[in-house]
Each structure stands twice: as C-alpha cells, then as structure tokens.
Amino acid sequence: MDKINTIQINTNYLIQNIQYIKKQNHYTYYIMNVSNNAFCHGMYLIKRVKGLVDYLYVNDFYDLLLIRKYDKDIPVIYDGDVTIDNIYDLIINNAIVVIRDIHLLERIHGLNIKDDLDVILEIDPEGLRGIANKQDILDYLEISDKHIQLLGVKAHIKEDDYEDFKYIVRPISNSSLMILNSEEDKRKIQGSNAIILDASFYGINEIKKKLFQKVEAPLKQIFRLTSKVANVKVYTHKNKEKYIAVIPFGYHHGMNDAIKNVYIENKLYSVDKVTTEFTYILGDENIKIGMDVEITSVHNPLENYISNHTLNYFSLFHSNIPILFDDYILEKTLIY
C-alpha cells in the first residue's frame, strides 16, 4: 500500500505500556478507554489487549459497534446516552450500561426485557451527573428483575467526598466494581478497585520536562505519523544556500503549529511554516524527494510539544489517513 501520509501503530509498545502501568498500580480491574475510535488509533488495536485489560470503556454507541466488529465478547462499559429507544441495541451488542437515573432504570424494568442487562450506577454526591441520594439506591433495590444485574458503581469523586459517597451506596456496598479512579487522578481512593485509563495506555507520559530534555519516559507513544518529502527547493540568500523540504501534510490533515521539529533519516529538522495543505521544513543538501518524514513518533512524541489534552490532538488527524498495524491496514474512513 503506497500512501504518502500514514499512521503506524506499534502494538508491542501498547502491550509494554499496559504491563508497566499494571506493575506500578494496585487495582483489581483495569479499564481501557477506547472512545473516539480508540482516540483515532483505530479500534483494531483491541485485538492486542484482550486478556491484558479487564474492560473497555466508550462513551459513544458507534464506538461500541466498532468494537463488536472485531470482538463480540470482550466486556465493554458504555457510558453514553441511554434511552428506552436504544436499550435494545445496547443489549444486542452486549454492553454494560452506565445508569445515572434510577427512574430510567425503572422504565427499562417496565419493558419486561427477557435478555440479561448488566448495569453500573453512576454516583455523584453533588447531583450534577449521577445519583445523589441514598433513597435512589433503595428504590433500585425494590426493582425485582432477574434480568437486570448490578455489576458495580462508578463515581468521579475526590477523597474528601468519600464519606458522602459511601453513605449513598451503603445499601449496595458489596458491588464488585468500584470505579472511583481515572486518568485525571491516579491517587487511589479508598474502596476503589478499578481505574479507567486512556493517555497512559497510548504512551503519553506525565513527566514535566523541557523540549527534548533527556528524562526517563517509561511509556512509549504507540503511533508513528509519517509523510514523505514531495519537493525540495533551494534558495540562495547572502551567498548561502537554503533548502526547503515540502511535505503534503498541513492544517487540513491535522498538522499543528505546536510541532516545531520533524525527523528525516534520523536527523532532526525544524519546521519553517505550515499551510492548509503543506508543511515547509528547513532542510539541507541531504534531503531528497521521497524520503520519509516522521512528524511524531516515539522519538519525537507529542508530549514534547503539547502539555495538556494530548488525546484531543489525536482527533485532529484527518479521517482519510490510513492506519497500519503489524498485520492489517485500517482505513480511517468509518462506515456504519
């Protein structure tokens, strides 16, 4: 497959990242966030994580469908919209459904569904995004439905909120899953036995460092975004030759002004200018048309440039850039 712009996924790095995280933490259950088509890495990567993580996590129904394209049985926690209209689709696709409203669960019970449904109750002592009082839990316990099973509870809380949280869930304190930790705060909250992770699995370190400072970074960015030199222009300025290499990867493809350097033939070069369709690179006489250009990789990770919301940057990559796995080519154009 001859493509100018490609994303290659290193599944060995993915596995190494998961193994490292599990050694450094002490949870019973590890949940991998694969929302937004695995943050634009391509859902095919779930074929490499089965047995390494306990659950997948998504917040959109289409991501659930993508998962089921590759694996019918891997446990998936669905944290998107839940309605009476889509509950059958969620059941058919074997989703573990996050419920924020006991009244919705009562309505689901009223459908007399004969298929099994595993649910996780979202708890929020502030009442903004989940169940906020103990009476709702007691109301749930009054629902006698052998097909609706409580798998656990989930909450975005800090340690200071734990007593309020514990009071709300006291009637169901024996739930198997207690998802109280996420990537935002890995300090283990008492009672928590599960954590939802995203950036670290994909190889984003939290180490604060200066640009290209040599600091041990245990996590490895799993994707390598490359383009090719499409043209080389030579200018003469003050009796010195100036080389400009052009790659067909600009703003419209996802290029960002934050990225200041690229690698060509294992040598670092500075970005001169970015346009809608192209990026210009300050080169030298060694650069030739057709050479591979590493825009970002394990050698030139995004964390060098972007300190916050790195996962959001993944979504800027153009949907038509193909993803190359070890044994599979995944076109990013999604058809449902």
Side-chain angles (χ1 to χ4, degrees):
M1 183 178 186
D2 184 20
K3 291 285 188 179
I4 294 176
N5 302 318
T6 59
I7 294 174
Q8 298 106 42
I9 304 298
N10 190 316
T11 54
N12 288 329
Y13 288 165
L14 172 64
I15 293 169
Q16 290 172 24
N17 290 340
I18 294 173
Q19 292 172 337
Y20 175 82
I21 292 163
K22 293 175 73 171
K23 285 181 180 178
Q24 298 300 310
N25 296 277
H26 304 285
Y27 292 92
T28 305
Y29 304 103
Y30 292 86
I31 303 166
M32 183 176 183
N33 190 342
V34 291
S35 299
N36 193 19
N37 194 18
F39 297 99
C40 299
H41 290 75
M43 202 64 80
Y44 185 77
L45 62 75
I46 70 168
K47 294 179 75 68
R48 296 295 189 272
V49 304
K50 195 168 185 178
L52 293 173
V53 299
D54 301 286
Y55 298 90
L56 301 179
Y57 172 93
V58 297
N59 56 21
D60 188 273
F61 181 69
Y62 291 122
D63 285 321
L64 176 63
L65 292 183
L66 277 176
I67 291 171
R68 293 301 176 226
K69 176 181 177 181
Y70 298 112
D71 194 299
K72 301 297 183 184
D73 303 313
I74 192 168
V76 182
I77 298 171
Y78 171 80
D79 200 2
D81 291 335
V82 182
T83 66
I84 295 299
D85 294 329
N86 73 359
I87 192 63
Y88 287 103
D89 291 327
L90 293 170
I91 292 173
I92 290 171
N93 285 281
N94 197 20
I96 301 164
V97 178
V98 176
I99 298 291
R100 296 186 173 87
D101 184 354
I102 292 299
H103 299 299
L104 173 61
L105 198 58
E106 291 171 346
R107 293 178 64 196
I108 294 172
H109 166 68
L111 296 175
N112 293 316
I113 295 172
K114 303 305 180 184
D115 298 294
D116 292 338
L117 172 64
D118 288 333
V119 300
I120 292 174
L121 300 183
E122 175 87 31
I123 309 298
D124 180 10
E126 295 183 354
L128 297 174
R129 53 189 298 177
I131 297 166
N133 61 71
K134 189 175 180 179
Q135 185 58 50
D136 282 346
I137 302 297
L138 295 173
D139 290 343
Y140 160 78
L141 292 175
E142 291 183 2
I143 299 174
S144 178
D145 192 327
K146 65 179 182 179
H147 297 292
I148 299 177
Q149 301 296 324
L150 177 63
L151 186 65
V153 298
K154 174 178 172 289
H156 290 272
I157 62 171
K158 297 180 179 179
E159 194 69 42
D160 293 345
D161 302 320
Y162 183 73
E163 290 303 319
D164 289 339
F165 164 80
K166 188 168 65 172
Y167 175 76
I168 295 171
V169 301
R170 186 170 294 160
I172 52 170
S173 58
N174 60 344
S175 299
S176 58
L177 262 181
M178 297 283 283
I179 310 171
L180 308 183
N181 283 92
S182 67
E183 193 80 53
E184 299 169 2
D185 187 358
K186 296 188 182 69
R187 292 174 297 178
K188 190 171 183 180
I189 297 171
Q190 57 179 310
S192 179
N193 64 8
I195 184 170
I196 300 175
L197 293 167
D198 42 53
S200 52
F201 279 154
Y202 299 98
I204 306 301
N205 292 276
E206 297 180 344
I207 299 171
K208 300 299 182 182
K209 61 179 180 177
K210 295 180 180 178
L211 187 62
F212 299 107
Q213 180 185 4
K214 293 294 182 181
V215 175
E216 182 182 357
L219 303 173
K220 297 178 180 179
Q221 181 173 302
I222 72 171
F223 81 99
R224 177 176 179 261
L225 172 63
T226 64
S227 187
K228 289 184 181 293
V229 177
N231 196 10
V232 179
K233 187 72 174 178
V234 183
Y235 298 94
T236 300
H237 181 67
K238 294 182 179 180
N239 298 322
K240 291 185 178 181
E241 290 186 332
K242 180 180 180 181
Y243 294 80
I244 298 293
V246 181
I247 62 172
F249 194 89
Y251 290 131
H252 285 176
H253 307 97
M255 189 61 176
N256 189 293
D257 288 324
I259 295 182
K260 303 298 183 184
N261 301 279
V262 298
Y263 275 93
I264 304 176
E265 297 290 312
N266 295 317
K267 183 177 178 180
L268 194 66
Y269 293 91
S270 297
V271 173
D272 181 52
K273 181 182 178 182
V274 182
T275 69
T276 55
E277 299 295 337
F278 299 96
T279 294
Y280 304 140
I281 300 161
L282 295 175
D284 57 29
E285 68 278 6
N286 297 314
I287 297 181
K288 308 299 181 185
I289 293 175
M291 284 184 169
D292 286 340
V293 179
E294 281 190 353
I295 298 170
T296 179
S297 67
V298 69
H299 306 110
N300 188 29
L302 290 180
E303 66 196 35
N304 277 339
Y305 307 100
I306 304 172
S307 59
N308 295 312
H309 307 301
T310 310
L311 286 176
N312 290 341
Y313 181 67
F314 293 153
S315 65
L316 296 177
F317 296 149
H318 197 286
S319 61
N320 291 327
I321 300 176
I323 302 174
L324 280 63
F325 286 85
D326 308 322
D327 59 351
Y328 188 77
I329 297 173
L330 176 67
E331 295 286 352
K332 290 190 69 174
T333 301
L334 307 180
I335 301 175
Y336 298 105

